[in-house]
Amino acid sequence: MKTVMYCGTLFDGTTGQTAKNQVIVIEENKITEILEKSQYQPEADDKIIDCSDQFVMPGLIDMHVHLAFCGKAALTELTEPPELVALKALNNAQEDLMGGFTTVRDAGFSSLRGAQAVRDAISSGIVWGPRVFTSGMYITQTGGHLATTYSQESFGQQIFKPVNTADSPDEVRTACRMMLKYGADQLKLMVTGGVLSNSGGVGEQNMSYEEIVAAVEVGKMHNRVVSCHAHGTSGILAAAKAGVTSIEHCTMVDDEGIEYMLKNNVAAVPTLIVLHVLADGLSKGVAQSAVDKAAYLLPKHADNIRNAYERGVRCVFGTDTGTPLGPHGYQHKEFVYMAEAGISSEDILLAATRYAAELLKWEDQIGTIQPGKFADIIAVKGNPLEDISSFNRDTISFIMKDGIVYKNEQN
């Protein structure tokens, strides 16, 4: 039996263009055909999904979530048992799927195997949820971003602590190899301070160029993505020079950093929403220090991302969901902030579909609606290309991941 989906407007993600009155044919969990409706003759046992008045597109991909964190004003999960945090993470992942995000990249977990456990439980069919691409524990310096948030009791190896701390190129190599040994899909570095750091300035460089290069070398040897948290200008420049895959936040990027991003094909994952939320979070329980740092960075962020985008840097969709006041499954305001930063509607949708899949190196499986790809598909009321602000959890009327329907308001 085939599943046949009638599309009013189809954005297949291969380009920024759309097509009217298309039919998507799905067998088991794969897309097999895309035809004009007039060319398709339904068979008696076809399962019809009628989205003839809907905007149909690939399932969304959020390239920067933290499944371990639940979006509370304080990151209470940092002091909770890892088993409990993993169960919370599964619920968070499921909320993301119900928000239309059929794939998420976990950008750093609070325990060694938590994100990988969620990933493997979903991919093996034990539980339901989105596709999960993991970083394992992020790698930072002693006293670097979020390092002081965790207790530092040793697990038996100096390099392997509740946060993966590394203070030289050789220690970075060991830390990276440790993450790959325990099943991480990518490597995540903390290159500068952060809004939630307990010490130091938000933009100060935490990791040297030589240390970043060591991580990039390991990533290249194993064909893995290397992403870097970086707010400050010098850290962004060092990461871009080193040739990382993506720079997360990329808040204070300048012209020199942009030049190296273009030279080395480094993507930006701006996560614009998180600074808006934190800067307005004092009355909701966010720490004063975090509010002050976010308020300082906020007015500069969109302008710098606009400059990078206009110069040709690829901007990929990510939200930092899970951090304070960022609940899973409700991160769609990022689309609006990307538009306010000057990114075209076409590139915003591509940023959350094909561009994201290409960054993950999963473009042969997801990110576009094409024959042979997994059937990860959503439908939206209205047209996000015409009004990106109307794109939210409530307007997403249909969600299919891997050929299984999780939301269907059509019939």
Side-chain angles (χ1 to χ4, degrees), residues 145-164:
H145 180 42
L146 292 188
T148 54
T149 301
Y150 296 85
S151 60
Q152 293 292 294
E153 293 85 1
S154 173
F155 277 98
Q157 300 182 51
Q158 188 277 332
I159 195 66
F160 177 38
K161 300 174 181 177
V163 57
N164 206 4

Side-chain angles (χ1 to χ4, degrees), residues 1-2 34 40 55 67 76 84 103 153 173 205 229 240 265 273 279 285-286 299 303 316 348 395 397:
M1 183 179 72
K2 297 186 292 254
I34 295 123
Y40 186 76
F55 184 98
L67 292 177
T76 58
L84 175 59
T103 299
E153 293 85 1
R173 289 186 185 94
Q205 188 171 340
H229 158 104
N265 194 30
I273 190 173
V286 177
D303 287 343
V316 184
I348 292 172
T395 60
S397 59

Side-chain angles (χ1 to χ4, degrees), residues 71-107:
K72 298 176 182 177
L75 301 180
T76 58
E77 294 80 15
L78 296 175
T79 58
E80 293 176 343
E83 297 85 355
L84 175 59
V85 174
L87 291 172
K88 287 185 173 184
L90 173 59
N91 183 71
N92 292 336
Q94 292 174 342
E95 287 290 345
D96 286 327
L97 177 55
M98 296 311 297
F101 295 93
T102 54
T103 299
V104 295
R105 177 175 67 157
D106 183 82

